[in-house]
Amino acid sequence: MTPDALLHLVNEITGATTADSFGTPTVDLAVDAWLTSAAALRDDPRTDMDYFDWLSAYDDGDAGLAVVARVWSVALRHGSVLRARVSRDGGALPSLTGVWAGAAWHERETHEMFGIEFEGHPDLAPLLLSEGFNGHPLRKEFGLASRAAKEWPGAKEPGESVAGRKRPLGLPSGDRWGTT
Amino acid sequence: MADVTIEWGHTFHLRVLDVGLACCAVEFAAAAARGADMAALGARPFAPEPREANVMVISGTVTDKLAPHVKRLYDEMPAGSYVMSFGSCANCGGPYWDSYSVTKGVDQMIPVDVYVPGCPPRPEALLGGLALLNDRIAADLRAAP
Amino acid sequence: MGHDVTLPERSRGVIALREESCTSCMVCARECPDWCIYIDSHKETEPATAEGARPRTRHVLDRFAIDYALCMYCGICIEVCPWDALFWSPEYDHPSTDVLGLTHERDTLGVWMRSVPSRPTQTG
């Protein structure tokens, strides 16, 4: 199947906005269509996406948090990317574990890294972070303690030995690392 | 006197427990493959378990999640064992100095006797570190009553 | 340290400083992803040398230190240095019994300049 034909097919099955990203259809799903569309892509013989590849999320600033999952058809050798946006505060999404059991660990990781709830997940216990870890480190507002504690050596101007007001390049503005 | 005897034994028989946690472990393996050079320093790599080792070489990134287990390995080693921190990650976090999950140096939880710089250090740097450790053990010997 | 190793002369063991080339412009300290280069400097004014000329200000280096416990040996400081004051030296072997002993000041960084190859590698 050509990428274009797959794009139209995914769009037809899900009924949601589908865009091409580097030859892979990326479908933007509403939260309440997340489960049904995923199951449809798996069950429809034309897409047959029976293999769960990965699930993660990214911090999209004011647009909220975006959960992204990639699924694949082993037999037909094509895949699709599913994306849903949830709110920064108490954002929740139905768990994909009922559709692809392999999503369980990915959702646990995404839960601890971003603080997104996955409703219906059997056990969202922390997977990678140490016990008692406070916060969701992959969110942009998460402050890195080391950067806050250490003085940036580049803050000095040439010919000076005391820190000026220059900020580290490429880092968010604000009084502290991690604040945007 | 017993201490002195134990120290004297250490100088000629470093049994190295390899705690290889990241890419530095590859350099450790390369150094360990230089059997003659290791033997010249009285060192034997790859101790089968902590109780049979007297030097622990931590080569790689220690995360906060893993740190208790590294501490446990140290606790299982005989009293008076030595610790070498091999590479920037073990020294103080290295490239992950600002990370949310990486321990900023193994010396935060166990006493380190020798620090080897590098990211990663050359395999030969491990031999240099072991030589320094031998010097240190010899100095401990001389200082012993 | 008790064993003989023959290294390629351009192997990347440690970073050396040619102090007389450094203008304490802070570029390396600002580009360093590990924040492990520490520079202190001050300004000095040289009086005018000729009639009608202005006095000149120059920067004098007070401290140049690299924390090799933290350094990730990426070489970005060497790449960005506009004055070619930083070089790779093959001297890799400098373990320490104290983590603070891995922060090397400009005198040590200067000594390492002796092992920096003098000419570029011939290619082709």
Side-chain angles (χ1 to χ4, degrees):
Chain A
M1 196 179 304
T2 64
D4 213 34
L6 182 65
L7 187 102
H8 283 104
L9 182 59
V10 169
N11 177 248
E12 180 197 319
I13 293 172
T14 61
T17 318
T18 311
D20 176 85
S21 42
F22 306 104
T24 302
T26 299
V27 50
D28 275 298
L29 297 167
V31 169
D32 48 3
W34 180 248
L35 268 194
T36 49
S37 298
L41 287 174
R42 181 194 63 178
D43 295 334
D44 194 301
R46 292 169 298 168
T47 46
D48 188 30
M49 292 175 185
D50 51 354
Y51 175 72
F52 174 84
D53 192 355
W54 53 261
L55 178 143
S56 189
Y58 63 92
D59 189 330
D60 210 6
D62 292 337
L65 304 171
V67 179
V68 184
R70 184 174 183 272
V71 292
W72 181 258
S73 166
V74 177
L76 303 177
R77 301 176 64 81
H78 62 206
S80 177
V81 171
L82 322 177
R83 179 168 55 191
R85 286 175 198 279
V86 297
S87 146
R88 302 185 72 81
D89 308 307
L93 204 62
S95 170
L96 285 177
T97 46
V99 185
W100 296 282
W105 280 18
H106 297 250
E107 289 180 348
R108 270 171 75 181
E109 187 187 343
T110 308
H111 170 70
E112 67 181 339
M113 294 295 175
F114 291 93
I116 298 166
E117 286 297 323
F118 289 92
E119 294 157 349
H121 190 286
D123 182 16
L124 279 174
L127 181 66
L128 297 174
L129 295 176
S130 55
E131 220 169 290
F133 191 94
N134 196 12
H136 305 293
L138 293 193
R139 283 179 175 228
K140 284 185 180 173
E141 76 261 20
F142 185 85
L144 294 171
S146 302
R147 295 233 182 208
K150 182 168 179 173
E151 191 181 303
W152 183 47
K156 296 168 192 166
E157 289 299 328
E160 291 176 3
S161 295
V162 288
R165 282 183 299 169
K166 194 170 175 63
R167 300 279 309 157
L169 294 169
L171 299 190
S173 58
D175 297 333
R176 195 170 71 88
W177 160 261
T179 54
T180 47
Chain B
M1 188 59 211
D3 285 353
V4 176
T5 315
I6 292 168
E7 298 271 0
W8 180 80
H10 281 328
T11 45
F12 297 102
H13 200 133
L14 299 173
R15 298 210 59 171
V16 182
L17 180 71
D18 171 31
V19 186
L21 302 172
C23 27
C24 281
V26 179
E27 307 297 323
F28 178 93
R34 299 171 58 130
D37 285 333
M38 294 286 276
L41 294 161
R44 283 180 66 187
F46 303 127
E49 57 171 311
R51 262 167 291 183
E52 295 182 27
N54 57 7
V55 183
M56 178 194 236
V57 176
I58 300 169
S59 48
T61 317
V62 182
T63 59
D64 292 340
K65 181 100 168 177
L66 195 70
H69 304 284
V70 175
K71 175 84 165 67
R72 192 181 141 197
L73 283 178
Y74 176 74
D75 291 340
E76 285 179 5
M77 286 170 68
S81 292
Y82 296 89
V83 177
M84 183 195 292
S85 164
F86 187 73
S88 287
C89 286
N91 288 344
C92 62
Y96 313 107
W97 69 278
D98 57 354
S99 162
Y100 55 86
S101 61
V102 172
T103 306
K104 312 298 182 288
V106 288
D107 50 4
Q108 293 194 355
M109 49 173 186
I110 53 178
V112 175
D113 298 283
V114 173
Y115 298 85
V116 178
C119 189
R122 293 187 66 90
E124 295 87 352
L126 178 76
L127 305 173
L130 288 173
L132 180 64
L133 184 60
N134 271 336
D135 291 349
R136 186 180 168 138
I137 297 170
D140 286 353
L141 261 177
R142 282 195 295 276
Chain C
M1 277 191 141
H3 53 277
D4 292 322
V5 180
T6 312
L7 296 177
E9 63 168 10
R10 305 199 77 81
S11 63
R12 299 176 168 190
V14 80
I15 293 160
L17 170 73
R18 184 197 277 158
E19 197 182 317
E20 51 275 31
S21 299
C22 177
T23 64
S24 47
C25 67
M26 303 300 292
V27 169
C28 54
R30 286 173 181 168
E31 293 291 328
C32 176
D34 266 1
W35 297 12
C36 73
I37 302 178
Y38 310 105
I39 299 173
D40 285 339
S41 56
H42 68 273
K43 288 191 178 81
E44 267 180 17
T45 308
E46 290 176 348
T49 47
E51 186 78 20
R54 291 183 193 164
R56 292 177 58 159
T57 306
R58 65 188 187 97
H59 299 143
V60 180
L61 195 63
D62 295 323
R63 182 187 185 215
F64 191 107
I66 300 181
D67 183 355
Y68 285 103
L70 191 54
C71 175
M72 64 160 98
Y73 296 77
C74 61
I76 288 175
C77 50
I78 298 169
E79 293 291 323
V80 298
C81 179
W83 311 99
D84 280 356
L86 292 166
F87 296 88
W88 282 113
S89 151
E91 296 190 35
Y92 64 92
D93 196 13
H94 45 99
S96 167
T97 54
D98 179 7
V99 72
L100 298 177
L102 292 177
T103 300
H104 291 290
E105 301 291 333
R106 55 176 166 170
D107 48 347
T108 316
L109 300 179
V111 169
W112 283 331
M113 273 307 294
R114 292 178 198 157
S115 53
V116 172
S118 53
R119 286 176 296 115
T121 307
Q122 299 293 317
T123 51

